[in-house]
Amino acid sequence: MSSLPRVQSPARRRWLWPVVIVCVLAAAAYWFLGSRADKAEQGYRTDAVTRGEIRTAISATGTLSATATVDVGTQVSGILQSVDVDYNDAVKKDQVIARIDPSTYQARLDQANASLASARAGLNEAQASARNAEADYSRKADLAKRQLVSRTDADLALSVRDQARARIVSANAQVKQQQANVDSARLDLEKTVIRSPVDGVVLSRAVEPGQTVAASLQTPVLFKIAGDLRQMEIVLAIDEADIGQVRNGQSVKFSVDAFPDRNFRGKVKQIRLAATNTSNVITYPVVVEVENGDQTLLPGMTANAEIEISNRDNVLSIANAALRFKPTDAASQTATAGAGAQARNGVMISESLAKVADGLKLDANQRAAFDTAATAMRERADAMRKAAAARAEGQAAGSRTFGGPAGGGQRQGGNGNGGDGARRMAERMKQSFAPFRSMLSPAQQNTWDAELAVLATAKRAPVYKLVDGKPEQVTVRLGSSDGTRTEIMGEGLAEGDLIIIGSARPTDSK
């Protein structure tokens, strides 16, 4: 009797499938978690060194206004006979814009002219009396010499002559006084005609015809006239922490709410010294001049401005997060990298100064002088580097012999020169390049001095380059920063190098 194959029941096949699925999921989970743990232990987050533009700016707000806004008032009182301009009217200098009733001031002028005429008549009378007294004294003096009249009569004639001369002086003074009264009355009459002191536009008008104005202790403001609106200005309030970076002539970009899609340009014109204290916050007013040829911008608009502090083109930069990263063995790496830091710093500055010189458009003699100074600087840097390497090697040998920590002394003096070191570096650079600087034009000297100051005071910091999966410390000199990326200068980094910005983040399982 042949045996028949056993057929598995459908119920048994149903419970095998869940077991297989569970095993597959377990294997996948083990592989995924294991690889993630390896990455968490050994992985780093990196960002590439890039070449491009680094732009640094200070943000502030201010109000647009005309470069000159004049309050036009009146120096005399009276009833406004006419007002000849209105809001937004364009006016020229000395154009009549209003008139005050002149009748009162005309009457005062007529009275002053009459008094002047009377004073002149008195002067003529005094002069006639003086001529008569002079003749009488001459006759009596001659007769007294011949003893034909008494000496007393001659002395009396002399006294009358002197009195007549004194009356002429008094009459002249009266004429001058009355002439001054006439001039004053005429000026008051002229002031009844109010003229524009500048070319501009009428911003406001505070009076109407028939209104009485009284100019007593304070001159009333009748009109407010803005100067030529083709040239305007913005007064920005800059925080004291940023004012040290602002210089005359720096470029300013701003926008206004009326034209949100349009950017306008200006230039720093003045940094005022009158600080403002608002709730213990110190700000300084900075005046920005603005060209407004099409007169799109209007007085009173709020400007959201950015003062461009620096704009570095074609420079290497790294993410700011790279400056905060420190590996677990950073202490030993810092000790090793500390040897020869000052020499490397000199090489970095030499390379940066070469870029500055390229931008100065030097002639052949200037370029030769720069190359000579730069070569001497690089030779000194190489000598310092070799000496530092020899010292580090000697310290390492001593630490192996006596069991001390390698590079212990170098950690103390590596980069800790602080402000004194920066000042010494700046002084050495000035001395080294003094002959070259003397050959530059004033404009070139200003650019050179500014770049030299930036390089001498720039900070240094260690960053870590990923090499064969491990961090390698590189000391760089920091330049401008836009808040996200920072310009770097130094050896050992090139465009495209991966810089560690943090440890790898483990992925959360869901």
Side-chain angles (χ1 to χ4, degrees), residues 415-449:
N415 292 343
N417 54 358
D420 293 337
R423 284 190 293 270
R424 289 195 298 270
M425 177 65 71
E427 190 61 31
R428 284 197 296 270
M429 286 192 293
K430 287 182 180 179
Q431 294 175 357
S432 300
F433 289 92
F436 162 70
R437 184 184 182 278
S438 64
M439 302 176 65
L440 300 178
S441 66
Q444 289 175 321
Q445 288 180 354
N446 292 336
T447 303
W448 174 261
D449 292 341

Side-chain angles (χ1 to χ4, degrees), residues 22-37:
V22 170
C23 292
V24 172
L25 292 176
Y30 178 81
W31 174 83
F32 176 77
L33 293 175
S35 61
R36 189 174 67 171

Side-chain angles (χ1 to χ4, degrees), residues 372-386:
T372 300
T375 300
M377 186 174 183
R378 281 194 294 268
E379 290 175 351
R380 286 195 299 271
D382 291 338
M384 293 172 61
R385 177 186 299 178
K386 293 177 181 177

Side-chain angles (χ1 to χ4, degrees), residues 156-403:
L156 181 61
L158 176 61
S159 176
V160 172
R161 186 202 69 175
D162 292 343
Q163 291 176 3
R165 288 180 176 180
R167 282 194 291 271
I168 291 177
V169 174
S170 177
N172 272 321
Q174 288 291 328
V175 170
K176 291 181 180 179
Q177 181 179 0
Q178 294 304 323
Q179 183 64 56
N181 291 337
V182 170
D183 293 340
S184 177
R186 183 177 291 112
L187 286 175
D188 287 344
L189 180 61
E190 291 175 356
K191 289 174 183 176
T192 60
V193 179
I194 302 173
R195 302 177 184 273
S196 172
V198 294
D199 295 342
V201 177
V202 178
L203 296 183
S204 66
R205 187 186 83 174
V207 290
E208 296 292 340
Q211 185 174 339
T212 300
V213 292
S216 54
L217 298 178
Q218 184 176 2
T219 302
V221 177
L222 309 183
F223 304 92
K224 183 172 289 187
I225 298 178
D228 189 357
L229 294 182
R230 289 174 295 183
Q231 186 74 30
M232 302 187 71
E233 67 181 20
I234 312 170
V235 180
L236 302 176
I238 304 299
D239 190 85
E240 62 175 324
D242 299 323
I243 194 65
Q245 304 177 70
V246 182
R247 298 287 184 274
N248 287 340
Q250 287 177 332
S251 176
V252 179
K253 182 178 72 173
F254 68 95
S255 62
V256 294
D257 294 339
F259 306 99
D261 298 329
R262 182 174 174 182
N263 287 325
F264 299 89
R265 289 283 179 177
K267 185 171 62 175
V268 175
K269 175 184 177 182
Q270 184 184 55
I271 303 170
R272 294 178 179 170
L273 304 180
T276 302
N277 188 338
T278 305
S279 301
N280 293 328
V281 176
I282 305 298
T283 58
Y284 290 85
V286 173
V287 181
V288 177
E289 59 182 359
V290 177
E291 294 289 341
N292 187 31
D294 58 0
Q295 299 192 20
T296 301
L297 301 172
L298 303 178
M301 286 184 171
T302 299
N304 303 307
E306 286 186 348
I307 301 177
E308 188 175 275
I309 302 303
S310 66
N311 191 353
R312 312 280 289 180
D313 290 324
N314 196 30
V315 296
L316 294 177
S317 66
I318 59 174
N320 287 353
L323 302 174
R324 299 187 292 267
F325 173 76
K326 291 292 183 295
T328 55
D329 57 346
S332 61
Q333 293 191 33
T334 302
T336 303
Q342 189 175 7
R344 290 194 300 272
N345 186 41
V347 175
M348 285 186 252
I349 294 177
S350 178
E351 294 174 350
S352 301
L353 289 179
K355 296 179 181 178
V356 175
D358 292 339
L360 294 178
K361 299 180 180 180
L362 305 177
D363 58 29
N365 293 331
Q366 292 172 337
R367 172 60 67 177
F370 173 82
D371 291 341
T372 300
T375 300
M377 186 174 183
R378 281 194 294 268
E379 290 175 351
R380 286 195 299 271
D382 291 338
M384 293 172 61
R385 177 186 299 178
K386 293 177 181 177
R391 286 196 302 269
E393 184 177 355
Q395 290 175 357
S399 65
R400 288 193 297 270
T401 302
F402 298 102

Side-chain angles (χ1 to χ4, degrees), residues 83-91 201-205 208 223:
V83 177
D84 301 330
V85 294
D86 202 353
Y87 291 93
N88 300 339
D89 283 353
V91 294
V201 177
V202 178
L203 296 183
S204 66
R205 187 186 83 174
E208 296 292 340
F223 304 92

